[in-house]
Structure formats: structure tokens, C-alpha cells
Amino acid sequence: KLEIILSSIFFAGAIAAKAVTFTSLPILATVAIFGLRKSLNTQFIKTLIFASIIFLAISTLPYLRAFIKTGNPVFPFYNALFKSDLFHHINFENPLYTSGFNWDFLYKITFQSGRVLEGSAGSPGFQWILLLTPSIIITLFLGNYRCILISCIATLCVWMTFYQTSYLRYIFPSLALASSIIGVAFSSLKVYYKKWYPIFLILLLF
């Protein structure tokens, strides 16, 4: 019960802070509902209703305020739909970070970082190419279905975000999930491949 209420507060705060959270919330909510489907009972449903009320009370505040002041709850975004007179009747897009999620995503954020962040090449770190891809392969090979699920969630969240705007700062939560996959993959190698583990550890430290 406490975990559900706390989750609703944290998600509400995230949405109130950044509208980009809307791209990740449906994915996480679907996974949560699927995982909690066996817990459905009267008390659990009451908790969900209470948590939903808290969620709506916190998350909708900045959007209600924006709607009252401008006529657009996500001003200036989607103004072609809401047509606020305070901005052109077009959908606002940051010309520096246009939308798009391609197969070379990891290469782009590593060696062409200026296209996705206010920074020079390598700003996000080189661990994504060096460690993340092998880590995903390792978890697949070892059949770690929880890590596979986390990989899918992180990938979907990145895709949903970059479908709107290719701004790396908006996917930091997904990068945190990706980092956890790296940690699990390399710790698993210590259990299953003890002889090779020193080599993997040197690579990790590098």
C-alpha cells in the first residue's frame, strides 16, 4: 500500500516538473498493472483509487494553471491544437534537437553529442557503446528476464521521448535503468564465468 502511494507521488511530481514524463508513464503503468494483476482485491482497489486521487491532485496543478493563463495546458507545445493567442498556431519544436530515433542512437549520443545535448563529443560518457550492448547480450544469454524487461522498458521510453525531441537530458531516467543492466550483467559474470571475470572487470574499470 505504501509503495503504491509513494509511487503515485513521485510520478505526479515528475509529470508536474516535465511534460516529457507523459511519454514514459504509459509504458511503466502497463508493466506495473501487469505485475500487480494478481494482487487485485477490494483493499488493493481502494488503495489504487486513493493513490490516483493524490496523483491527479499533484500532477495536474501546473497544467491547470497554464490552461487558465494561456488556454493551452502544455503551452507553447501543441499550440496548433489548442490555439492560444499568446503563441503562433503551430506546434512548438526546438530546432536544435529535432525528433528521431535511429539504429545508430548509441553512436550519435557518444560521438555526436552536440546533436542531443549542450556538450561536446563524449559528454554522456563512452560506457554506452563499450558496456551497454555487451551487457544486454549477456543478460539475454543468461536468460535474465528481469533485465530483458528493463532493457525493453528503457528502449521504449527512449523511443517515445525521441519521437518528440532528440534531447538527451529528457531520457536520464532511462539511462539510469541502462546502468543497472550493466551492473547486473557484470556481477552475473562473476558467478558464471569466474576464470574470465578478471578480464571483464578490467574492461569495466577501463
Side-chain angles (χ1 to χ4, degrees):
K1 179 178 179 179
L2 180 61
E3 291 175 351
I4 294 173
I5 294 174
L6 287 176
S7 296
S8 68
I9 294 173
F10 290 142
F11 276 123
I15 287 180
K18 280 289 182 183
V20 72
T21 309
F22 283 113
T23 60
S24 303
L25 189 62
I27 300 168
L28 298 174
T30 302
V31 174
I33 291 171
F34 182 79
L36 295 171
R37 68 190 187 283
K38 294 180 180 180
S39 303
L40 289 178
N41 54 53
T42 303
Q43 183 60 40
F44 185 75
I45 292 174
K46 288 180 180 179
T47 302
L48 281 179
I49 294 173
F50 180 67
S52 299
I53 293 172
I54 295 175
F55 174 81
L56 291 173
I58 298 174
S59 63
T60 57
L61 286 176
Y63 304 101
L64 286 173
R65 182 173 58 190
F67 181 75
I68 292 171
K69 289 186 175 182
T70 69
N72 181 349
V74 289
F75 184 84
F77 299 99
Y78 299 107
N79 206 50
L81 173 64
F82 294 103
K83 302 186 185 303
S84 170
D85 293 333
L86 299 177
F87 193 74
H88 303 292
H89 292 179
I90 58 174
N91 292 331
F92 172 80
E93 286 189 15
N94 189 332
L96 298 177
Y97 308 106
T98 55
S99 59
F101 181 74
N102 302 314
W103 64 272
D104 61 345
F105 168 74
L106 292 178
Y107 177 87
K108 183 168 68 173
I109 68 171
T110 303
F111 298 104
Q112 299 175 350
S113 308
R115 295 174 58 184
V116 294
L117 188 71
E118 302 95 336
S120 56
S123 297
F126 294 91
Q127 70 275 16
W128 308 117
I129 287 182
L130 184 64
L131 300 176
L132 181 58
T133 304
S135 295
I136 293 175
I137 295 173
I138 290 169
T139 55
L140 285 170
F141 182 76
L142 296 177
N144 190 323
Y145 297 109
R146 181 171 292 181
C147 273
I148 294 171
L149 176 61
I150 292 174
S151 300
C152 293
I153 292 172
T155 302
L156 282 172
C157 290
V158 171
W159 180 81
M160 289 288 289
T161 303
F162 269 50
Y163 182 78
Q164 302 291 329
T165 178
S166 299
Y167 193 22
L168 191 67
R169 190 162 61 87
Y170 288 163
I171 64 165
F172 279 175
S174 298
L175 298 183
L177 291 177
S179 297
S180 70
I181 296 168
I182 295 172
V184 171
F186 276 82
S187 62
S188 299
L189 291 174
K190 186 176 182 180
V191 177
Y192 295 100
Y193 300 97
K194 292 182 179 180
K195 294 181 179 180
W196 292 93
Y197 185 69
I199 296 175
F200 292 125
L201 186 61
I202 291 171
L203 177 62
L204 178 62
L205 291 173
F206 175 78

